Amino acid sequence: MPTFSVIIPVFNRPEEIDELLESLTKQIDQDFEVIVVEDGSEIKCESIIEKYSQQLALSYHYIKNSGPGQARNYGMRKSSGNFFIILDSDCVIPPQYISEVKKEIETTHADVFGGPDRALDSFSAIQKAINYSMTSFFTTGGIRGGKRKIDKFYPRSFNMGIKKTVFESLGGFSLMRFGEDIDFSIRIYQAGYKVQLFPEAFVYHKRRTDFKKFFKQIYNSGIARINLYKKYPDSLKAVHFFPTLFTLFFIFSLLISYYFPYGIILILCYLAIIFIDASIKNKSLRTGSLSVIASFVQLTGYGCGFLSGVWNRIILRKEEFSAFKTNFYK
């Protein structure tokens, strides 16, 4: 029986699962099985699975589309490991990943864990810029797994580990289509399990490949934050208001810029800090420039989604799925 079961939900992304499975074949520690759950894809990855069937302890399951959370639950029910490692299909993992996870578990005795994400040198400049916008202290407060953060660490489903007994106790992910990983993490904390950040168990996360897709993804994340607030009022923290405040401040500053330009100047100074920081970290002025765009998209996308959530869920008092049927089911 393997110690770890790696659960990978996939939807219409065979090229991504190919890269992830290849990286799994290069693990120093091979004490794991892999369960791929095809979540109702029209573009299936069966041929990719066959390609790695002799190199990995690999199983493949096709289910009716039900969302990533339910696909992960299905995979965990089909697993035999004592720990489940959940990865997104657009991740690539370094050779020492499993070894680092095993070492951390033996040291911390964590019940649930997660790791940060990074960008590979081979990623495109846009992918690096999006990665910066999602991980930088200046944009998200470092709450997505960085060492310097201003909120409690909540494991995210792109890189998350769960003890089998925790899954059996809590039933896994809820029916939420967005924010389901934070919902699960909140229930884990409420149940008193030990949650730990494993800083060296990082993954290379490719994320979205253009700003339009990125805006849609982050917009839905803003909506999900209000859905989480409706379920867990204490989960809404000061850091979650920053993108909305930025969005409103930008709109207001733009409207009065002719008479009072200092608001726009302040925003430009903030974006200049992002440009400098991203350029230094990525050693590229081009990536630094794109990081300014990515950060602006990240902040305004989340802010707009957050405001939509407030309007629909709090002011109009609509239910979760009736309020966001288009976003949740397309």
Side-chain angles (χ1 to χ4, degrees), residues 12 233 276 295 308:
N12 288 338
I276 294 169
S295 298
S308 177

Side-chain angles (χ1 to χ4, degrees), residues 13 15-20 88-93 117-120 122-131 134 158 203-210 214 217:
R13 294 183 178 185
E15 70 289 343
E16 288 182 353
I17 203 74
D18 191 0
E19 291 183 88
L20 175 51
D88 278 355
S89 62
D90 58 353
C91 290
V92 177
I93 65 174
D117 55 341
R118 301 180 183 179
L120 270 171
S122 60
F123 284 8
S124 70
I126 289 180
Q127 287 174 325
K128 291 177 181 178
I130 291 175
N131 181 78
M134 293 297 288
F158 67 84
V203 300
Y204 299 112
H205 199 179
K206 300 188 75 171
R207 302 189 185 278
R208 296 298 185 265
T209 54
D210 62 63
F214 181 48
Q217 177 195 27

Side-chain angles (χ1 to χ4, degrees), residues 251-269:
I251 294 171
F252 180 73
S253 298
L254 202 60
L255 291 174
I256 66 168
S257 60
Y258 182 79
Y259 304 99
F260 192 81
Y262 298 106
I264 293 297
I265 292 172
L266 186 62
I267 289 173
L268 290 175
C269 290

